[in-house]
């Protein structure tokens, strides 16, 4: 059993997060290897989303949030980085509820590259197409790129969000319960895309669907009540004998 | 939503009560209910009716003078004849200069309060200051204008001093409505942008501000309407009883310099109705009607803009 | 390369933009202090000099022009402000809150939208026009109805101020009622309460603080109103004995007399002292209203 990789892409070292008096993460230590799909499972309010927000430091925008410990991306402490915007562009984020920005489909996907200074139309066109293809949305929107992103259906908007997350060519893609607002067929499409993408990037998949983690993830971490209970290869966590009894109960649907 | 349903289905609910339990208590309850609704309704109508009557009176009495010439001519022969051009153009001067000062500061202050301010004592202090600024009596603003702009800054009584006074006075209107307009933009849009590496200001510039334009404009328009109608703040800071300005040709549109004193419609109404004798009623009513018309049309513009933009909301 | 340069520029511009925004935000604090400072500064030499504060607050003699001995007693002016404000509140608080309850709880939605627009327009009418209405329209009506020799008095000013205060009382009151969670209404209706019982037994107690704040803001506006009372209440500096007496308020005094004073003279400075007094009164009312509203929020969140 190899539980520690040599060169983790993302590492949490004793990370605690609290919002005022409420503790959202309690001394979590965790390593996420490169080019894998890393599943994070756990019941609601167990700290999964907070964990993601620490990676790209959008936790900074949460009022009253306090972060202790170290979060390393590519071996570098995120709080030591001079350019946080650069960090955020290295990481793609997809949150549970689809958010189409009130811009055209094209401008939605071109937003991040433009903010980063890319203005050449041909480069943008190519990038937008690639991202939309990766998100399995290209065929549905290629003829109506000027439609408002907010006018797409929920499932389409979620794929638009994924396309946007890919638009700044991230090395890490984080997805937070992406399938909540998406129909099963689209979910399957996106899952296929993820398996494809893992050749190019590290994928962190937070999910409340235990079976989804089982299908996709190479490695799974189980969070409960702000605490990391267990990390391990998927087949081990989902086996008859995970390291912790609690994991077994959760995976079998006994609580959560 | 739920409350709408509760209130609109009220009569139906009353019927249901009647059908199931028509005891004396229930019947009395239904009676009281109808009585109260009727009383409150007529009370509200009583508030609106006299207003319509008053407005009708104003227009009726002003009718004889209302004409294009009334607007485009200057007051003549000690204000007892002629029109209202000089005060009208003066009001435009005051409104636009105060707008030019108050709008940028007010909008950015609104941006600060909604986008940058955290939950700390500075924010509380700023919010409190805005509330208090809105509550300062207009005559105190006049005193402030005299003390700060006319005397301390040495601008003297002038269009500029009066406009600056009006700008400070109307600032809270713009701040508050900008803040509300920004707060109506969903937080998820901001988070989506931050997650793509956009900075706070990039997010505000590209997503937040463009989607809050209607609300911000509403506030700006309200500022215009308030500045146009105010009298007390300009009394001692720049309004003048009478000044001869051209009322023909291009020069009639630029009669005042920044450091000149100017006539203003609101002050003009005050003087011709209380300070000057021998002014015909029609002239007085005519001035009042033009002032009300100006303010109300500005407000109606703001309301229709709001309705229009709400109808083509982008999310 | 061009992109990179533009990018660097925008990164440099960002702190600058942020600094400007912060500055504009803090400017509200600056202006409040500036207003206080400049008004106080003009009045201070008199306040700490020749002005006898005891006489200022207790004397009814306001004789700023007297050659022999000028007297600066504002008691009559305070009485003027108090009487007009009190009458205005007596009329506008029940009317404004009643209208708020009607609009928020009893009114069909379409009528509500129309009414709100009417009220908004009502709020937009400038105070000088209200003064004009009192002076020109209401004056003869009051003479005819009450038989008083002149219709420019407390009654006139009170009615005008009441009409001016209704919109603000109504809109703040409606907000307070709106802030009561719908679950309260639904629970009461489910228990078989009629709509009036819901209002009387559930909404009014729950929205008590907000409604109080509405009334307070109405008072604040009435105390600070200038042009309307200047034109509609008459010019007699006196303690009123009946509703038909003309009075002079604090605000009207400043508006009427500042233009005739010598800059830097005693009379001029006393008017600024009155201004300081008005400002303090307005702060007090606004702060109280703010605290009262905050009280509501705090309780509902907690």
């Amino acid at each position: 059993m190899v539980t520690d990789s040599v060169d983790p892409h993302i590492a949490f070292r004793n990370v605690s997060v609290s919002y005022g008096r409420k503790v959202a993460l309690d001394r979590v230590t965790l390593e996420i290897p490169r080019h894998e799909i890393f599943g994070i499972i756990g019941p609601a309010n167990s700290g999964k989303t907070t964990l993601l927000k620490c990676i790209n430091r959008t936790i900074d925008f949460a009022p009253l949030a306090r972060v202790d410990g170290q979060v390393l991306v590519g071996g570098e402490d995120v709080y030591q980085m001079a350019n946080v915007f650069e960090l955020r562009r290295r990481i793609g984020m997809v949150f549970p509820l689809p958010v189409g920005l009130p811009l055209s489909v094209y401008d939605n996907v071109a937003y991040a590259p433009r903010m980063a200074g890319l203005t050449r139309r041909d480069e943008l066109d190519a990038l937008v197409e690639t991202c939309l293809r990766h998100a399995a949305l290209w065929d549905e929107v290629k003829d109506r790129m000027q439609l408002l992103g907010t006018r797409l259906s929920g499932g389409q908007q979620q794929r638009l969000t994924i396309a946007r997350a890919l638009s700044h060519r991230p090395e890490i893609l984080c997805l937070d319960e992406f399938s909540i607002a998406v129909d099963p067929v689209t979910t399957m499409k996106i899952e296929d895309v993820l398996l494809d993408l893992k050749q190019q990037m590290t994928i962190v998949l937070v999910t409340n669907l235990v079976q989804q983690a089982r299908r996709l993830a190479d490695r799974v971490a189980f969070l409960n009540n702000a605490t990391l209970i267990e990390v391990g290869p998927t087949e081990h966590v989902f086996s008859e004998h995970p390291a912790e009894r609690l994991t077994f109960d959760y995976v079998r649907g006994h609580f959560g | 939503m739920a409350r709408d349903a509760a209130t609109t289905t009220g009569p139906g609910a009353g019927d249901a009560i009647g059908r199931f339990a028509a005891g004396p208590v229930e019947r009395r309850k239904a009676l009281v209910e109808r009585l109260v609704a009727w009383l409150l309704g007529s009370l509200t109508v009583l508030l609106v009716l006299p207003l319509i009557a008053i407005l009708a009176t104003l227009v009726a009495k002003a009718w004889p003078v209302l004409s294009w010439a009334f607007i485009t001519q200057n007051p003549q022969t000690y204000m007892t004849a002629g029109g209202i051009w000089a005060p009208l153009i003066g009001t435009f001067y005051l409104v636009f200069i105060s707008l030019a000062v108050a709008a940028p500061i007010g909008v950015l202050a609104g941006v600060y309060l909604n986008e940058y301010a955290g939950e700390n004592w500075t924010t509380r202090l700023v919010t409190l200051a805005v509330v208090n600024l809105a509550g300062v009596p207009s005559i105190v603003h006049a005193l402030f204008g005299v003390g700060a702009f006319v005397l301390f800054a040495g601008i003297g009584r002038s269009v500029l001093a009066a406009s600056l006074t009006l700008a400070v006075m109307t600032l809270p209107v713009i701040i508050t409505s900008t803040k509300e307009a920004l707060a109506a933009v969903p937080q998820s849009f901001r988070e989506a942008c931050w997650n793509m590496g956009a900075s706070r200001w990039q997010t505000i510039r590209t997503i937040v501000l463009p989607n809050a334009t209607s609300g911000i404009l509403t506030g700006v328009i309200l500022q215009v309407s308030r500045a146009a109608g105010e009298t007390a703040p300009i009394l001692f800071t720049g309004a003048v009883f009478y000044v001869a300005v051209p009322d023909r040709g291009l020069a009639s549109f630029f009669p005042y310099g920044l450091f000149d004193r100017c006539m203003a419609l609101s002050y003009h109404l005050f003087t011709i109705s209380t300070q000057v004798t021998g002014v015909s009623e029609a002239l007085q009513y005519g001035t009042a009607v033009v002032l009300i018309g100006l303010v109300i049309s500005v407000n109606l513009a703001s309301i229709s803009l709001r309705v229009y933009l709400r109808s083509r909301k982008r999310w | 390369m061009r992109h990179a340069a533009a990018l660097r520029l925008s990164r440099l511009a960002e702190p600058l933009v942020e600094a400007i925004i912060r500055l504009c935000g803090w400017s509200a604090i600056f202006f409040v202090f500036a207003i206080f400072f400049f008004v106080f500064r003009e009045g201070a030499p008199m306040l700490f000099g020749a002005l006898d504060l005891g006489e200022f607050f207790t004397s009814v003699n306001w004789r700023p022009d007297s050659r022999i001995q000028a007297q600066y007693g504002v008691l009559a002016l305070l009485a003027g402000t108090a009487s007009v404000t009190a009458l205005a509140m007596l009329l506008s608080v029940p009317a404004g809150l009643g209208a708020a309850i009607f609009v928020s709880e009893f009114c069909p939605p379409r009528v509500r939208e129309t009414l709100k627009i009417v009220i908004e327009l009502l709020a937009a009418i400038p105070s000088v026009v209200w003064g004009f209405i009192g002076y020109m329209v209401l004056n003869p009506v009051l003479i005819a109805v009450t038989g008083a020799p002149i219709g420019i008095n407390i009654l006139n000013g009170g009615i005008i101020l009441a009409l001016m205060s209704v919109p603000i009382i109504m809109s703040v009151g409606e907000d307070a009622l709106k802030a009561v969670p719908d679950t309260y209404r639904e629970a009461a209706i489910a228990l078989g309460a009629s709509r009036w019982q819901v209002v009387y037994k559930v909404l009014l107690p729950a929205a008590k603080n907000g409604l109080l704040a509405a009334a307070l803001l109405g008072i604040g506006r009435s105390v600070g109103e200038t042009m309307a009372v200047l034109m509609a209440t008459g010019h007699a500096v006196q303690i009123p004995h009946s509703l038909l007496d003309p009075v002079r308020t604090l605000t009207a005094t400043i508006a009427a007399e500042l233009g005739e004073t010598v800059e830097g003279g005693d009379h001029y400075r006393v008017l600024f002292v009155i201004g300081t007094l008005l400002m303090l009164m307005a702060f007090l009312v606004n702060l109280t209203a703010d605290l009262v509203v905050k009280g509501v929020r705090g309780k509902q969140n907690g």
Side-chain angles (χ1 to χ4, degrees), chain B residues 109-168:
Chain B
V111 169
Y112 169 76
L113 273 179
N114 200 63
E115 306 292 324
Y116 285 89
E119 284 195 21
N120 51 39
W121 63 270
T122 341
T123 312
R124 248 168 274 153
L125 212 60
V126 173
T127 316
L128 207 60
V130 174
V131 169
N132 274 308
L133 205 53
V136 171
S138 55
I139 192 69
V140 174
H141 277 287
L143 295 179
F144 165 64
V146 171
F149 301 126
V150 175
L151 299 177
F152 180 76
I155 302 174
R157 294 187 177 190
S158 59
V159 170
L160 186 60
S163 302
L164 290 175
T165 311
L166 283 176
V168 173

Side-chain angles (χ1 to χ4, degrees), chain A residues 145-166:
Chain A
M145 296 296 270
Q146 294 312 313
L147 187 75
L148 270 183
T150 43
R151 296 268 188 273
L152 295 176
S153 75
Q156 288 173 326
Q157 283 196 43
Q158 187 63 309
R159 279 175 285 159
L160 182 64
T161 313
I162 294 175
R164 245 179 14 218
L166 296 173

Side-chain angles (χ1 to χ4, degrees), chain A residues 33-64:
Chain A
R34 284 177 195 277
H35 299 295
E36 275 193 5
I37 297 184
F38 190 91
I40 299 176
I41 57 173
N45 277 326
S46 53
K48 305 182 302 268
T49 303
T50 302
L51 196 81
L52 288 190
K53 285 188 172 180
C54 289
I55 302 176
N56 76 346
R57 272 181 59 187
T58 39
I59 190 93
D60 295 5
F61 292 109
L64 301 174

Side-chain angles (χ1 to χ4, degrees), chain A residues 48-170:
Chain A
K48 305 182 302 268
T49 303
T50 302
L51 196 81
L52 288 190
K53 285 188 172 180
C54 289
I55 302 176
N56 76 346
R57 272 181 59 187
T58 39
I59 190 93
D60 295 5
F61 292 109
L64 301 174
R66 185 193 147 85
V67 183
D68 291 305
Q70 269 187 321
V71 180
L72 304 155
V73 171
E76 208 185 335
D77 187 336
V78 293
Y79 276 92
Q80 302 298 322
M81 291 182 185
N83 192 340
V84 65
F85 309 110
E86 191 55 48
L87 167 73
R88 292 197 188 125
R89 274 194 294 273
R90 287 166 61 192
I91 299 161
M93 275 281 173
V94 177
F95 281 113
L97 294 178
V99 178
L101 292 174
L103 303 168
S104 72
V105 170
Y106 185 94
D107 290 340
N108 257 284
V109 185
Y111 184 89
R114 278 182 178 146
M115 288 299 113
L118 186 66
T119 49
R120 285 189 47 184
R121 187 73 194 196
D122 50 341
E123 285 177 41
L124 277 175
D125 285 347
L127 186 64
V128 168
E129 182 175 341
T130 317
C131 294
L132 285 171
R133 277 189 194 285
H134 274 313
L137 187 60
W138 172 253
D139 292 333
E140 288 164 55
V141 299
K142 64 179 178 216
D143 300 320
R144 30 179 197 160
M145 296 296 270
Q146 294 312 313
L147 187 75
L148 270 183
T150 43
R151 296 268 188 273
L152 295 176
S153 75
Q156 288 173 326
Q157 283 196 43
Q158 187 63 309
R159 279 175 285 159
L160 182 64
T161 313
I162 294 175
R164 245 179 14 218
L166 296 173
S167 69
H168 35 95
R169 300 193 182 96

Side-chain angles (χ1 to χ4, degrees), chain A residues 1-8 29-33 36 219 231-233:
Chain A
M1 287 278 111
V2 186
T3 46
D4 285 351
S5 63
V6 191
D7 170 31
T29 297
L30 182 67
E31 295 192 333
I32 300 175
E36 275 193 5
R219 217 176 282 265
V231 198

Side-chain angles (χ1 to χ4, degrees), chain B residues 8-304:
Chain B
T8 50
T9 58
D15 292 345
I17 288 168
R19 220 177 301 134
F20 287 112
V25 178
E26 294 303 339
R27 237 175 287 148
R28 212 192 57 188
K29 210 159 93 176
L31 194 70
V32 170
E33 167 98 7
R34 223 169 297 153
L35 197 70
V36 167
W38 188 83
L39 262 175
L40 287 173
S42 48
L43 178 86
T44 314
V45 171
L46 268 179
L47 283 176
V48 177
L49 274 188
L51 279 166
I52 297 171
I54 288 170
L55 286 182
T57 315
L58 293 185
V59 174
K61 293 217 177 185
W63 196 251
V65 297
L66 287 182
S67 67
W68 188 240
F70 179 66
I71 306 273
T72 56
Q73 278 177 8
N74 272 342
Q76 287 153 14
T77 46
Y78 301 104
M79 316 270 207
T80 56
I84 51 165
W85 177 253
L88 186 65
I89 194 82
T91 290
F92 277 112
Y93 264 66
L94 294 173
V95 165
F96 282 112
I97 297 171
S98 67
L99 181 67
V101 176
I105 299 180
V107 169
L108 290 181
V111 169
Y112 169 76
L113 273 179
N114 200 63
E115 306 292 324
Y116 285 89
E119 284 195 21
N120 51 39
W121 63 270
T122 341
T123 312
R124 248 168 274 153
L125 212 60
V126 173
T127 316
L128 207 60
V130 174
V131 169
N132 274 308
L133 205 53
V136 171
S138 55
I139 192 69
V140 174
H141 277 287
L143 295 179
F144 165 64
V146 171
F149 301 126
V150 175
L151 299 177
F152 180 76
I155 302 174
R157 294 187 177 190
S158 59
V159 170
L160 186 60
S163 302
L164 290 175
T165 311
L166 283 176
V168 173
M169 174 167 184
T170 51
L171 201 56
V173 181
I174 301 185
I175 296 180
T176 312
S177 54
T178 302
K179 191 184 153 201
E180 280 171 9
L182 295 174
V185 177
Q187 184 67 12
S188 59
F189 290 174
R190 295 183 185 84
E191 283 171 7
C193 294
W194 296 337
N195 277 316
M196 289 188 285
S199 67
R200 242 180 225 278
W201 173 242
Q202 282 177 324
T203 306
I204 294 167
R205 184 167 56 83
T206 53
I207 297 292
V208 182
L209 279 181
N211 286 293
T213 328
S214 61
I216 295 172
L217 273 182
T218 308
V220 167
I221 294 176
L222 282 182
Q223 188 273 356
V224 166
S225 123
R226 271 200 77 186
E230 274 302 337
T231 317
I234 60 172
L235 276 180
F236 313 112
T237 52
V240 67
F241 184 73
Y242 177 75
V243 60
V245 301
D247 61 355
R248 296 242 167 76
L250 196 61
S252 68
F253 289 97
F254 307 99
Y256 305 112
L258 269 188
F259 296 98
D260 294 340
R261 298 170 66 178
C262 71
M263 295 183 78
L265 205 53
S266 54
Y267 184 59
H268 185 65
L269 175 63
F270 173 66
T271 54
I272 63 170
S273 51
T274 65
Q275 313 291 81
V276 190
T277 49
V279 184
S280 74
E281 270 201 350
L283 272 183
Q284 298 168 339
Y285 279 94
T287 309
V289 165
V290 172
L291 183 56
I292 296 181
L294 196 67
V295 167
I296 287 193
S297 45
V298 165
N299 270 272
L300 280 179
S302 149
I303 291 168
S304 16

